[in-house]
Amino acid sequence: ASPRDGPSPQAPARWRTGSRAQIDPHRGGLVRWEDGAMGTGPNVHVRSADLAGVDAIVVGRLVRAYLLQTEQEKAHEIAAQFTDADLPRRYVAEVEDPARAYENARVLLAELDGATVGVVVVQQVRDGVEIKRLWVDPRARGQRVGSALLDAACYSANSLPMRLTVWDWRDDAIGLYRSRGFVAVPTWDRRPRLVCMEKPEISTNTL
């Protein structure tokens, strides 16, 4: 089934299946759901990606940009080996076949003035969901696109515990996560300088 039709049979049953929300910029939270695409105002919209259609190409492009940027930063910060031409083989499937790579996940896309500029993956894990690959095109930053993606990802989890990892030099991202209730926890990933964060409970009662 298309992600537009809701989660796949493997996805958490408690995931919220509504497809439109409006975000009050003064509250920073999702306040209303309707049929259609999730919105943050007149210019930014977040929607489920259709990985069976043309969105697969867009998701692959955005995820590739995220991964390339991450590898470049790792090469600078922790002296990891990196070449501009190639991604590590473990990431190739996410770029070339996102429908298969993310078959147990929900992928959200952000559009700014009609252009697709951001992505986030909400992946099913044993005890909840994990946020991955949150990325905004550098040309679209500073316009709450990342906030919109994170809010939509949190809302779609519908009170399930959430977790994520973030490199410790990404101060802006860490600040955004903390503003949404994520806290640092003991690591479940032994890679150096990787911060593990969790949001034990996602309240939707005030939305």
Side-chain angles (χ1 to χ4, degrees), residues 23-29 40 144:
I23 294 179
D24 182 339
H26 301 293
R27 294 177 60 197
T40 64
R144 294 183 52 82

Side-chain angles (χ1 to χ4, degrees), residues 84-156:
D84 289 334
D86 298 314
L87 287 172
R89 291 180 59 86
R90 63 185 179 275
Y91 297 135
V92 170
E94 293 184 64
V95 173
E96 296 185 351
D97 191 1
R100 183 173 182 178
Y102 302 139
E103 63 180 348
N104 293 326
R106 171 165 291 177
V107 180
L108 304 176
L109 291 172
E111 297 176 347
L112 178 66
D113 294 328
T116 306
V117 296
V119 65
V120 67
V121 176
V122 187
Q123 177 74 55
Q124 178 184 3
V125 294
R126 183 177 61 182
D127 298 323
V129 294
E130 182 170 356
I131 292 178
K132 303 173 63 177
R133 309 303 186 238
L134 178 58
W135 171 257
V136 177
D137 187 302
R139 295 167 294 183
R141 293 177 186 172
Q143 302 186 67
R144 294 183 52 82
V145 178
S147 296
L149 282 165
L150 182 58
D151 286 338
C154 289
Y155 198 80
S156 73

Side-chain angles (χ1 to χ4, degrees), residues 130 162-165 185-190 195-198:
E130 182 170 356
M162 301 194 73
R163 73 180 196 180
L164 57 86
T165 58
V185 297
T187 184
W188 63 79
D189 191 313
R190 297 298 180 183
V195 178
C196 295
M197 305 185 78
E198 292 183 349

Side-chain angles (χ1 to χ4, degrees), residues 32-46:
R32 183 163 63 88
W33 279 73
E34 298 174 350
D35 293 334
M38 291 178 279
T40 64
N43 300 317
V44 182
H45 296 273
V46 179

